[in-house]
Amino acid sequence: MDSLSNPPSFQFPAGFAWGASTSAYQIEGGWDADGKGPSVWDTFCHQGGGRVFQNQTGDVACGSYTQWEDDLKCIKQLGLTHYRFSLSWSRLLPDGTTGFINQKGIAYYNRIIDDLLANGICPLVTLYHFDMPQAVENQGGWRSDKTVEIFNEYARFCFDTFGNKVKFWITINEPHVVAEYGYEQGLIAPGVTDPGIGVYHVGHNMIKAHAKAWHTYHLLFKEKQHGQVSISLDSDWAEPFDPSSVKDQEAVQRYLAFNLGWFAHPVFINGDYPPLMKSQISSKSKQQGFMDSRLPEFTDEEMKMIQGTADFFCLNYYTTRKVKHQDSSHTKPSIKADQDADAIQDPSWPVPGIEWLAVVPWGLRKLLKFIKDTFKDPEIYITENGFAQIDPAPLDDSQRWEYFRQTLSEILKGVHVDAVNLKGYFVWSLLDNFEWHYGYSQRFGLFHVDFENPKLPRTPYRSALEYKKVISQNCL
Ligand code: NOJ
């Protein structure tokens, strides 16, 4: 079936979760309100230096810390069944540890959770979405093994505090992005550039932190709270640049192993990195004169601890790449060179906003099938998918809705033809918000936010009204 043909049925499965996602730093503002401690994003933005578009910050953002009611109105207007948001770690624990607990932070999130539940909306809560407390970063952040236990303690605190009401937990959002862009390229906070080495240590610690938190939940809370815990993984789909080239086909395998497999293989398969990733990094490290592989190893005990630590699969999908074999033998260590692959955007794919986001709806269907086949047919939630518009964006975003419609149509084929066990779909994002180093120049919202107006009014784009129809009928 080609990607333009109609799906076999326009109906989504009964009980399908219809959601939208946000994250604390991107919407809350109130960066130092009521005792909140700084996070690495507060520091990164306040340092200026042009790393963020026009040196913008999340100091105010959508004002959600004081304007939660406005967000709730948007959520209710859409008729969402689920809402995904993240807790600001340093709003709850200003120095990252339970040494001091900020009651006002607890009250803020209790209100959100209570209001959602009172309106029949299920909360999906992310513990950490890029905004590590600066105090923890000062002690090494993800580069330090100690952070594994600090994160676990934070997770335990959250399960204990909110777990009687929250049944879906996500430990870490997009560890691949944190590692590659936060600690290898330094494009996002904490802005560290440690190519080819630091990036893997950071990933290693995040996997252990996630797994420990999962065990903490299952050991101490699961029996009483009956919830589920997972991790949100981002991945592009990849196609060979030249479909007839075996080298390009192999490069695709490596690209997927380094992007999705890096975290999904240990968690869903066997507690260890994908064999392709291990062999690539090990042989490159040898060539480069390192004594050991730059990819750290898990002990047997750690592998046992990591394997099977997700109760469902959370996928953040945005785009697809054409991947070409590229021999990177004589280059300096980097995660890119380790892959011997070049990832290219096909010029025929539309790029409506942010430059990396080429719209490829059929890529999502293929990725879902790949996840089903590779990671033991898990229950899958698409915890993020969306399209940016460049500021200023028209409220009539018909073209963008067309991308959503095509994407939902591909998802239906995944469900009805490929028998993917898909449980839900979350749009990124409920609101226009602070798009990391792109600042407010990119608008991902279902609701427009007027950042020039101190009241920060929210207005639905046409996509919001269309999405509402799909949700109310559970049908495209
Ligand atoms: C994934 C991230 O989780 C989210 O924070 C970001 O805004 C979107 N991608 C869009 O880039």
Side-chain angles (χ1 to χ4, degrees):
M1 183 176 311
D2 70 73
S3 59
L4 293 175
S5 60
N6 283 334
S9 155
F10 295 99
Q11 201 66 39
F12 288 86
F16 197 72
W18 289 108
S21 297
T22 58
S23 89
Y25 187 75
Q26 292 179 275
I27 66 164
E28 284 180 3
W31 76 277
D32 64 348
D34 297 338
K36 176 181 167 292
S39 79
V40 291
W41 270 97
D42 294 310
T43 308
F44 191 77
C45 291
H46 292 161
Q47 278 167 349
R51 291 184 296 181
V52 175
F53 176 76
Q54 292 183 352
N55 287 323
Q56 292 170 339
T57 74
D59 288 2
V60 177
C62 307
S64 295
Y65 183 60
T66 50
Q67 293 183 224
W68 155 246
E69 282 84 4
D70 295 335
D71 297 355
L72 181 62
K73 270 187 211 147
C74 299
I75 293 168
K76 285 168 68 177
Q77 192 178 338
L78 290 168
L80 298 183
T81 63
H82 289 62
Y83 176 57
R84 173 178 176 233
F85 64 99
S86 81
L87 307 176
S88 158
W89 182 349
S90 63
R91 192 180 293 291
L92 289 164
L93 309 179
D95 73 359
T97 75
T98 47
F100 177 75
I101 294 168
N102 181 16
Q103 295 301 330
K104 294 237 169 108
I106 296 184
Y108 172 60
Y109 293 116
N110 264 331
R111 204 156 144 230
I112 295 181
I113 296 165
D114 291 343
D115 284 349
L116 288 171
L117 293 175
N119 284 284
I121 300 153
C122 176
L124 214 92
V125 178
T126 309
L127 295 177
Y128 160 74
H129 194 126
F130 298 0
D131 51 351
M132 164 83 71
Q134 185 60 45
V136 180
E137 182 59 32
N138 292 346
Q139 294 169 44
W142 289 119
R143 285 170 290 178
S144 160
D145 302 356
K146 291 200 183 108
T147 300
V148 173
E149 195 40 52
I150 298 175
F151 180 79
N152 184 38
E153 183 55 18
Y154 164 58
R156 194 198 56 73
F157 159 79
C158 293
F159 301 148
D160 196 28
T161 308
F162 305 111
N164 54 340
K165 298 181 282 197
V166 173
K167 303 302 161 197
F168 288 95
W169 293 101
I170 294 168
T171 54
I172 297 178
N173 178 68
E174 299 194 348
H176 158 244
V177 167
V178 174
E180 184 163 347
Y181 300 102
Y183 290 86
E184 160 121 358
Q185 298 190 17
L187 279 176
I188 62 172
V192 175
T193 41
D194 187 4
I197 299 172
V199 64
Y200 298 128
H201 280 279
V202 163
H204 206 67
N205 284 333
M206 281 192 281
I207 293 170
K208 289 199 271 187
H210 156 77
K212 273 213 148 181
W214 184 91
H215 282 286
T216 295
Y217 188 82
H218 282 257
L219 223 82
L220 303 179
F221 299 98
K222 173 87 184 176
E223 206 185 329
K224 251 190 157 170
Q225 299 183 349
H226 311 291
Q228 298 186 312
V229 181
S230 187
I231 179 168
S232 267
L233 304 180
D234 62 288
S235 186
D236 300 344
W237 175 243
E239 289 280 320
F241 184 81
D242 171 0
S244 68
S245 152
V246 173
K247 286 200 152 191
D248 288 0
Q249 289 165 19
E250 287 169 355
V252 163
Q253 296 313 314
R254 291 194 296 274
Y255 187 76
L256 290 172
F258 274 80
N259 281 267
L260 189 59
W262 183 5
F263 298 94
H265 197 277
V267 169
F268 287 88
I269 306 287
N270 67 350
D272 199 6
Y273 296 112
L276 263 178
M277 189 174 177
K278 287 170 65 169
S279 59
Q280 280 288 123
I281 302 172
S282 160
S283 70
K284 296 261 171 201
S285 302
K286 234 180 241 153
Q287 279 169 21
Q288 290 155 346
F290 288 87
M291 299 279 284
D292 299 307
S293 174
R294 286 178 279 102
L295 182 68
E297 280 182 17
F298 294 118
T299 63
D300 288 349
E301 206 182 311
E302 284 170 344
M303 286 197 265
K304 269 193 219 126
M305 196 258 305
I306 292 163
Q307 177 183 12
T309 52
D311 303 318
F312 52 104
F313 200 110
C314 298
L315 172 71
N316 294 355
Y317 171 79
Y318 287 93
T319 193
T320 286
R321 292 286 181 264
K322 292 212 161 154
V323 175
K324 210 179 183 158
H325 171 79
Q326 186 180 58
D327 184 356
S328 313
S329 314
H330 300 292
T331 47
K332 287 195 204 126
S334 77
I335 186 168
K336 167 130 194 353
D338 285 338
Q339 296 172 55
D340 281 329
D342 195 17
I344 297 157
Q345 269 175 228
D346 186 306
S348 73
W349 297 337
V351 181
I354 207 160
E355 82 284 350
W356 54 262
L357 204 171
V359 179
V360 192
W362 52 262
L364 176 55
R365 176 184 175 187
K366 293 203 174 189
L367 184 55
L368 289 171
K369 177 76 164 65
F370 175 80
I371 291 170
K372 174 187 168 78
D373 295 343
T374 314
F375 301 112
K376 306 185 185 166
D377 197 7
E379 287 190 348
I380 305 174
Y381 288 79
I382 297 166
T383 39
E384 285 184 30
N385 171 249
F387 310 97
Q389 306 188 85
I390 296 177
D391 178 50
L395 286 178
D396 182 352
D397 61 339
S398 311
Q399 181 56 53
R400 188 165 65 137
W401 175 252
E402 179 53 24
Y403 299 143
F404 276 117
R405 208 194 53 73
Q406 289 171 9
T407 304
L408 291 170
S409 165
E410 291 300 321
I411 286 174
L412 282 170
K413 291 178 206 164
V415 170
H416 295 298
V417 182
D418 305 334
V420 170
N421 195 358
L422 187 70
K423 293 289 184 189
Y425 173 82
F426 290 66
V427 168
W428 183 270
S429 176
L430 180 68
L431 307 172
D432 288 338
N433 60 45
F434 178 79
E435 177 54 23
W436 308 117
H437 56 300
Y438 295 90
Y440 300 96
S441 66
Q442 301 290 334
R443 292 179 173 268
F444 271 97
L446 287 167
F447 284 79
H448 175 272
V449 178
D450 182 355
F451 295 106
E452 302 297 318
N453 180 334
K455 294 197 170 125
L456 299 162
R458 285 89 159 121
T459 315
Y461 288 103
R462 173 147 185 215
S463 286
L465 308 175
E466 297 291 340
Y467 189 43
K468 177 191 170 93
K469 283 189 216 155
V470 172
I471 295 172
S472 71
Q473 296 164 1
N474 202 37
C475 182
L476 190 61

